[in-house]
Amino acid sequence: MSQNTDSFLTRTVHDLLSLKGRTIVVTGGGRGLGLAFAFAIAEAGGNVAVIDYIDTPHDHYYKLEKDYGVKVKLYKSDVTNFELLKGTFDEIVKDFGGIHGLVTAAGICVDQPFLERPPESVARSFNVNVLGTYYAAQLAAAQMDKQDPSPESRCKGSIVFIASIAAYVASKGQATSDYCSSKGAVVALAKSLGVELAAKNIRVNSVSPGYMATDMTLSQCHRFPWLGDIMNNEPPMRRMGDRTDLKVPIVYLLSDASAYHTSDDLLITGGIHAGRLM
């Protein structure tokens, strides 16, 4: 296979990070981390298909819809219902013409002691966090496989799973056994699919954030000040992450900038995956 060893002279960083002309699907994109990812994609020139279970998105969604000059559309669906989700993906392909990237930000986390967790609630966590990720990836990859690859990177699409530091270490002050184990499954799934789908020129990676400041986590910290103390003081960098800290890594993994990057998990945790401050 011939390669242009001088392409670094003509393909700029700005070109590599551009998502112009591409359609990215974001599950759980109506609020929280997913909405921030949708903004990052739009800022990089990508069109955004947002899937969420909620009836009304965060008010910031409407800013995304009108301010960025890209196509944005919201689809109400359920990532745990394969047939319903398949219909949603079919609708996205009809509306946008294809799918070039996927970010799976849909997820739930229940804080309850292991011995008190009812089976139906545990099943719900795994259905959303694991099966929802699996189904969305399968539907996106099936569409990507039908499309022509990028002429520059030879990639047909990029899939990014949102995992968590909880896949690696237990959350101090919280009892989140099913969340931790479900996110461990997400990390393993990204590694496996990255290998399996490489032959189809589809890349799969995951991102494991640490404690991130969102409306939900800040509300928790307000209600439980001791939890806010853990989230702000245990990471070596002595703060929670901001959603801004995840925007460029998401664009990087979706874009040609990461054309040789697959089956990996990016840990963006303020250092807490390496150790906690005493």
Side-chain angles (χ1 to χ4, degrees):
M1 181 178 64
S2 62
Q3 288 182 286
N4 178 7
T5 58
D6 294 334
S7 61
F8 75 95
L9 296 172
T10 56
R11 300 200 70 200
T12 69
V13 169
H14 296 289
D15 293 336
L16 291 169
L17 287 169
S18 174
L19 296 175
K20 187 175 182 180
R22 302 184 188 184
T23 294
I24 313 298
V25 178
V26 183
T27 69
R31 59 186 173 185
L33 294 181
L35 183 56
F37 303 153
F39 270 85
I41 292 160
E43 289 162 8
N47 301 315
V48 191
V50 173
I51 298 176
D52 211 304
Y53 186 72
I54 57 177
D55 291 314
T56 304
H58 193 284
D59 289 346
H60 291 158
Y61 168 80
Y62 302 104
K63 177 178 175 63
L64 171 70
E65 210 171 36
K66 67 183 179 64
D67 286 358
Y68 286 86
V70 297
K71 185 171 183 177
V72 177
K73 187 171 180 180
L74 177 65
Y75 300 82
K76 179 175 169 58
S77 194
D78 181 353
V79 297
T80 71
N81 184 328
F82 182 82
E83 291 304 323
L84 179 62
L85 191 63
K86 183 178 185 302
T88 303
F89 271 79
D90 289 343
E91 192 176 350
I92 290 170
V93 173
K94 181 179 177 181
D95 292 341
F96 287 84
I99 295 172
H100 306 93
L102 168 70
V103 183
T104 61
I108 57 174
C109 178
V110 177
D111 185 349
Q112 188 176 23
F114 174 64
L115 295 181
E116 299 173 15
R117 295 288 281 121
E120 61 274 12
S121 181
V122 175
R124 174 66 179 163
S125 292
F126 275 88
N127 283 339
V128 173
N129 297 346
V130 182
L131 291 183
T133 297
Y134 193 103
Y135 294 158
Q138 190 177 55
L139 291 166
Q143 174 58 33
M144 292 171 182
D145 191 36
K146 300 174 185 177
Q147 300 169 179
D148 294 330
S150 162
E152 293 86 5
S153 68
R154 300 187 293 277
C155 181
K156 289 186 175 183
S158 176
I159 296 172
V160 183
F161 296 156
I162 305 306
S164 172
I165 182 59
Y168 296 86
V169 295
S171 301
K172 184 176 178 179
Q174 296 176 290
T176 55
S177 55
D178 52 347
Y179 181 75
C180 292
S181 52
S182 69
K183 290 301 185 178
V186 169
V187 171
L189 181 62
K191 293 180 183 297
S192 175
L193 290 183
V195 173
E196 181 175 345
L197 296 178
K200 295 183 175 295
N201 296 314
I202 297 169
R203 297 185 296 106
V204 186
N205 292 284
S206 59
V207 175
S208 284
Y211 297 124
M212 303 303 298
T214 64
D215 294 337
M216 182 178 70
T217 54
L218 292 177
S219 174
Q220 281 183 306
C221 293
H222 179 73
R223 290 183 291 122
F224 309 108
W226 51 269
L227 190 56
D229 181 65
I230 290 171
M231 291 184 176
N232 280 293
N233 292 314
E234 288 229 334
M237 294 186 75
R238 292 286 194 183
R239 67 174 178 90
M240 275 195 283
D242 186 271
R243 282 177 284 184
T244 303
D245 297 316
L246 298 174
K247 289 173 70 175
V248 172
I250 293 297
V251 170
Y252 162 75
L253 288 175
L254 290 169
S255 71
D256 283 355
S258 60
Y260 200 54
H261 195 164
T262 199
S263 288
D264 191 23
D265 186 46
L266 292 186
L267 287 137
I268 304 174
T269 72
I272 201 169
H273 62 279
R276 288 178 163 91
L277 288 184
M278 300 300 290

